[in-house]
Amino acid sequence: MELLTEIDFSRDVRLGVADRTTRAEPESWLRRKMRNRSRMAALAFLLSTLGAALVAAVRAPFVGGYVWLVVAAIASTLVVEFFTIPAYERTRSLRPARHLVVSGAIVVLALTVTEVIKPATARVSMLLILTAAALSAGAVLLRYFVAAPRSTLLVGDRTGVGHFIAQWSERSDIVMKGICLVGDDDGPPTSDLAGIPVVGRLGDVTAAADALGVDEVVVAPGPSLSAYDVRRLNWALDHSLVELTVATEVHGAMPRRVQPRMLGRRLMLSVRPPRRPALALWLKGVIDWVGGVVLIAVLSPVFVAAAVAIKLTSPGPVLFRQTRTGLCGRPFAMIKFRTMVVDAEDQLSELMKLNEGAGPLFKLRDDPRVTRVGRFLRKTSLDELPQLFNVVRGEMSLIGPRPGLPQEVDTYDDWIRHRLQVRPGMTGLWQVSGRSNLSWQDSVRLDIDYVDNWTLRSDLAIAAKTARAVIRGDGAH
């Protein structure tokens, strides 16, 4: 029975591809796109080799012509990497740079220890290798900042696909171009789900991916889609240059906490518990205090300008203090520049009927209580600068979960209270992911994900994304 199913599936795929071939242009858009992606990778590797060659040309008169052998070795390594990396990984993988540095360092060290080359020669060789690796990695990082949204074809039953749509519908970095619906053969035909067109069934995946020109096929396993179906689908996409990704039910864990392993010929995912090392937490505290002091000193002219603008344009104090909940539920007075009229809290009850937020949060895009200067301060996030004093006092962190109001915290269940295990932050995943545009559920999920997966490296990444979000004004109002 399984063999018959496999034959039927393969026949469906072949028929789908053949049917597409008879109606398509001589070369599909997908293949042109993948060919261009390969050209981009080839160009990046060529520039890396030329960069090393330029350094070699400068150093050759002083150290000898052996440097050109190093350049040739770099070029050979990059050619091998180009043909061994999958096409969809060529412009986003750091493997070539990593292999250049590791293998190059091992070879140079071995030749130096065995006295085949002199230390001066080893230094120049490493300079060439690091130059090529830096240029290769730079091309990947450049793609990260200018990359277009990732287009996907969803495969699964209504429930599995529905989860993708619910989680990704508000994301700008993922474009869901179509759905191949599984397990609906006996039901009425469906033209779309939540506005995303249904373009076929399981046997149409290859042809649909080709026709839509997607970057990735995302599969949601379920009762109607077995592991054998996924394996056959992998075979069908083997020559299509499209990445196949299978979703799991492991939520909230970063890849570094997930380790694949085999248990009785079954692929399992081992999830490590979240841990926050004491030394790393101490370093985070030091970074918060030093960073807060430095930023206060550097931004002192901005503090003065904002204070003068607030004082001249509306009556009342310059600063606004509000009780928020910090580490382990302890309350503290959070400081911000005042952006609303003095009696803003008294007007809140009248505006509750216009609340645009979900959960315990109050959101109103065009809040009449916001002053003219306050609107500018909110748009540029300058109203949050006084929180640096909260950071220096140890009540907040530069990066962490959003500080909640006491009335919000009173509604928390055990799940949501998990976000109180670290100090709240001036910025965090909630800010770089949309800020006021986020729903209450998304805000909580991001905060819990941050607590579970925190590292100093992730803080640095959030800091970089915050700068971009503030400059663009994403979700600020």
Side-chain angles (χ1 to χ4, degrees), residues 1-206:
M1 185 66 181
E2 179 182 329
L3 179 60
L4 292 176
T5 305
E6 180 175 346
I7 294 174
D8 291 341
F9 176 82
S10 302
R11 181 194 61 192
D12 290 342
V13 171
R14 288 195 302 270
L15 290 177
V17 174
D19 182 63
R20 173 65 187 165
T21 304
T22 57
R23 293 182 284 109
E25 298 177 357
E27 183 181 38
S28 69
W29 183 88
L30 173 63
R31 294 195 178 277
R32 291 199 305 272
K33 180 177 180 181
M34 289 303 178
R35 186 186 63 186
N36 292 340
R37 184 178 298 179
S38 296
R39 285 182 178 177
M40 290 173 59
L43 178 61
F45 290 166
L46 176 61
L47 292 177
S48 300
T49 305
L50 291 178
L54 179 61
V55 175
V58 174
R59 299 295 301 173
F62 304 98
V63 297
Y66 80 91
V67 293
W68 296 110
L69 294 177
V70 180
V71 174
I74 291 173
S76 301
T77 302
L78 291 176
V79 168
V80 172
E81 292 292 335
F82 180 84
F83 287 105
T84 55
I85 296 178
Y88 49 77
E89 283 288 342
R90 284 173 181 162
T91 56
R92 66 183 190 188
S93 175
L94 291 173
R95 194 183 81 176
R98 187 169 60 249
H99 282 187
L100 273 176
V101 173
V102 174
S103 60
I106 292 175
V107 172
V108 170
L109 179 62
L111 294 177
T112 305
V113 170
T114 56
E115 298 184 352
V116 175
I117 61 176
K118 298 179 180 179
T121 302
R123 288 194 294 270
V124 175
S125 299
M126 284 306 304
L127 177 62
L128 298 179
I129 294 170
L130 291 175
T131 299
L135 291 173
S136 176
V140 175
L141 296 177
L142 179 63
R143 180 192 178 278
Y144 171 78
F145 286 105
V146 301
R150 193 159 179 78
S151 59
T152 61
L153 172 66
L154 309 181
V155 181
D157 57 25
R158 288 177 179 267
T159 302
V161 169
H163 289 161
F164 288 140
I165 297 173
Q167 295 171 3
W168 295 346
S169 58
E170 300 297 328
R171 296 184 63 98
S172 59
D173 58 334
I174 301 175
V175 177
M176 296 171 283
K177 287 196 169 184
I179 299 169
C180 283
L181 204 56
V182 179
D184 250 15
D185 296 331
D186 299 330
T190 304
S191 60
D192 69 271
L193 288 178
I196 302 175
V198 176
V199 295
R201 304 291 182 180
L202 185 61
D204 305 315
V205 171
T206 304

Side-chain angles (χ1 to χ4, degrees), residues 69 74 291 304 374 380 389 415 432:
L69 294 177
I74 291 173
V304 174
T380 57
F389 292 99
W415 171 267
V432 300

Side-chain angles (χ1 to χ4, degrees), residues 369-435:
R369 302 172 298 168
V370 180
T371 64
R372 181 163 48 92
V373 172
R375 201 170 300 280
F376 170 78
L377 293 176
R378 288 189 170 201
K379 184 66 177 177
T380 57
S381 298
L382 294 177
D383 63 315
E384 299 175 1
L385 288 182
Q387 294 173 32
L388 288 169
F389 292 99
N390 292 116
V391 173
V392 173
R393 293 199 303 230
E395 299 164 334
M396 293 182 63
S397 174
L398 292 174
I399 298 170
R402 187 186 64 82
L405 293 165
Q407 56 266 34
E408 294 177 22
V409 176
D410 290 340
T411 66
Y412 288 0
D413 55 19
D414 292 341
W415 171 267
I416 304 177
R417 291 189 69 86
H418 189 67
R419 71 206 294 253
L420 302 178
Q421 291 191 4
V422 299
R423 287 185 177 87
M426 291 182 62
T427 183
L429 277 177
W430 51 274
Q431 186 175 44
V432 300
S433 303
R435 300 168 71 184

